[in-house]
Amino acid sequence: MPNQKNHVAVYDVIRILAALLVVLGHSTYLTITTDHGGIDYSVPSNVSAVYGSGFFKTWLYLSAWVYRFHIPLFFMLAGSVLALSPIENFKTLLAKKTRRLLLPFFLTGLFFMIPLKLWGGFFDVRHISEIAAAFLTGHESGHLWFLTALFWCFAVFFLLQKLLKKSVPVCLAAFLFYIFNSRLPQGYFDFAFSMRFLIFFAAGYYFDRARPFFEKHSKTVFFLLPCLLILNIADTRKHFLPAVGFMAAGCALLYDAAFCLALIFKKTIQTPFFRKTAGRTMEIYLFHDPLMIVILYYCMQADLLTTPAGCWIYFFCRTAGVVLLSVLIGIVIERSFNRVKSVINHRRAGFQRDEPRNCRGN
């Protein structure tokens, strides 16, 4: 969580929207194939009519739309948050982002993602050593690839800033990375692919300079919302924007929507509860996708899609259910960690109190 001095409430709104959208974007897939595993489900032939209802069709449509830009939104948000407290030292940056991004990557991957994907039938337990090796070399990182990609973006953006100084050259360089990312050396943990998102990271960073304007001009914010919504709907139907264009349009829409919500619910987003909720979004990202694999496994085993009630249970489990489980797991891990930390500190304090007595006894 950002400290009080550098805290911006609208970014909390974007955090929550981004986390919910990534769950929505991942909530409808039935088939995934990788080099080391995968799932391949299909809608049963005797599927309930509820699954073909307008509500479920809208859910599938929104999931497909969100999937086009939900990851660039995370990169843009990361850049905006960095702008609140820029890091001047490269060594400090690497240390902080290793602790914040790489450590969760390895711990979540080895002790949560892989076990749950084994449980959900995504991986074959007979190939566990091969799967672990593929994960450690970045070839089977699943949804966690975002963490290593974000680490690369932090590092490269920092170096570009130091080298080029001003925003226009930095953004131009980031855009060139986007265009020519396929020609870059792949490197460790998909370095080349990560550079596709550097332009969104840079856009988020420099957007923070314009943030006070949007905070002060509410009429502009509310005017832009329908304009951006129409642009996104039109492109979803006609596909006239290039890839970077529709990703930028989606990010712009969600940023503007966040400002609108921040203005409407100004008092709510300033509450400690809302800030704590925003602080749980990392847990949602870390845990949601492996949970989705297990939930999907049991939903298909139970043949839920063949009954109306089953369809609604299926929908709840793959949306709100995943969010609630992710938060609950995060809370349990946090409390367990704090308890262990408290025991260690207590014993350390006791040892320090006993040490002078032992010295006097000697």
Side-chain angles (χ1 to χ4, degrees):
M1 289 290 295
N3 59 40
Q4 185 67 33
K5 182 180 177 181
N6 296 315
H7 178 251
V8 173
V10 72
Y11 292 159
D12 282 346
V13 180
I14 298 173
R15 277 190 185 91
I16 294 174
L17 290 177
L20 295 178
L21 289 181
V22 78
V23 172
L24 177 60
H26 290 169
S27 67
T28 59
Y29 66 73
L30 296 174
T31 302
I32 301 176
T33 303
T34 69
D35 292 337
H36 300 88
I39 55 173
D40 188 10
Y41 297 110
S42 59
V43 178
S45 57
N46 58 337
V47 64
S48 168
V50 171
Y51 192 77
S53 65
F55 179 86
F56 274 75
K57 286 181 179 179
T58 302
W59 173 38
L60 295 170
Y61 175 84
L62 288 175
S63 174
W65 171 64
V66 163
Y67 203 81
R68 303 171 78 197
F69 68 88
H70 67 290
I71 293 299
L73 180 63
F74 270 103
F75 282 93
M76 189 169 175
L77 175 61
S80 295
V81 173
L82 176 64
L84 300 177
S85 302
I87 301 173
E88 296 297 327
N89 184 279
F90 190 59
K91 185 178 179 180
T92 301
L93 174 79
L94 294 181
K96 285 187 175 182
K97 298 312 167 185
T98 296
R99 184 170 61 253
R100 177 66 175 164
L101 299 173
L102 298 189
L103 187 60
F105 172 86
F106 287 109
L107 292 178
T108 305
L110 291 173
F111 301 109
F112 188 82
M113 183 188 77
I114 291 177
L116 261 69
K117 285 190 173 182
L118 286 168
W119 182 7
F122 190 97
F123 291 141
D124 189 336
V125 70
R126 294 172 297 180
H127 302 145
I128 185 62
S129 58
E130 180 184 342
I131 292 165
F135 171 75
L136 291 172
T137 54
H139 295 106
E140 190 64 65
S141 53
H143 71 297
L144 297 176
W145 69 267
F146 165 75
L147 299 178
T148 53
L150 188 55
F151 178 86
W152 285 125
C153 284
F154 271 108
V156 174
F157 182 77
F158 180 94
L159 296 175
L160 286 178
Q161 272 201 313
K162 292 298 181 184
L163 179 65
L164 301 177
K165 307 295 184 184
K166 296 188 177 181
S167 59
V168 173
V170 171
C171 288
L172 179 60
F175 187 64
L176 291 175
F177 272 110
Y178 172 84
I179 295 174
F180 298 108
N181 76 91
S182 60
R183 300 184 184 181
L184 296 172
Q186 190 57 45
Y188 191 54
F189 284 107
D190 294 332
F191 170 78
F193 182 73
S194 304
M195 292 299 98
R196 284 176 53 85
F197 303 98
L198 185 62
I199 183 61
F200 297 99
F201 187 95
Y205 185 91
Y206 293 117
F207 168 83
D208 191 66
R209 298 179 180 178
R211 172 177 50 82
F213 172 84
F214 291 96
E215 290 175 335
K216 294 176 182 178
H217 296 81
S218 58
K219 290 183 179 180
T220 301
V221 169
F222 284 104
F223 171 77
L224 286 174
L225 186 62
C227 298
L228 291 169
L229 184 59
I230 291 169
L231 174 64
N232 277 269
I233 293 173
D235 181 67
T236 303
R237 294 183 175 181
K238 299 297 182 179
H239 301 289
F240 54 86
L241 292 174
V244 69
F246 70 67
M247 288 188 285
C251 291
L253 173 62
L254 265 295
Y255 258 66
D256 192 71
F259 274 97
C260 291
L261 290 171
L263 289 168
I264 295 171
F265 302 102
K266 190 172 182 179
K267 291 183 179 180
T268 302
I269 66 174
Q270 297 291 347
T271 61
F273 175 79
F274 189 86
R275 292 189 61 183
K276 287 181 180 179
T277 302
R280 297 291 178 187
T281 54
M282 181 68 161
E283 297 158 3
I284 295 173
Y285 188 88
L286 289 177
F287 303 136
H288 83 280
D289 199 57
L291 288 171
M292 200 81 75
I293 297 294
V294 175
I295 287 171
L296 191 54
Y297 173 79
Y298 282 105
C299 285
M300 290 303 174
Q301 290 289 314
D303 227 8
L304 288 182
L305 294 180
T306 60
T307 66
C311 286
W312 290 112
I313 294 171
Y314 173 82
F315 168 76
F316 174 82
C317 289
R318 296 201 67 182
T319 53
V322 169
V323 172
L324 293 173
L325 276 174
S326 298
V327 171
L328 180 61
I329 292 169
I331 292 172
V332 170
I333 292 174
E334 181 183 50
R335 290 184 178 179
S336 300
F337 175 79
N338 289 337
R339 187 172 298 175
V340 171
K341 186 178 178 180
S342 177
V343 170
I344 293 173
N345 290 338
H346 181 73
R347 291 182 177 179
R348 185 180 297 170
F351 176 78
Q352 290 174 347
R353 286 195 301 269
D354 292 340
E355 193 174 32
R357 297 177 186 176
N358 294 334
C359 290
R360 288 196 297 269
N362 292 333

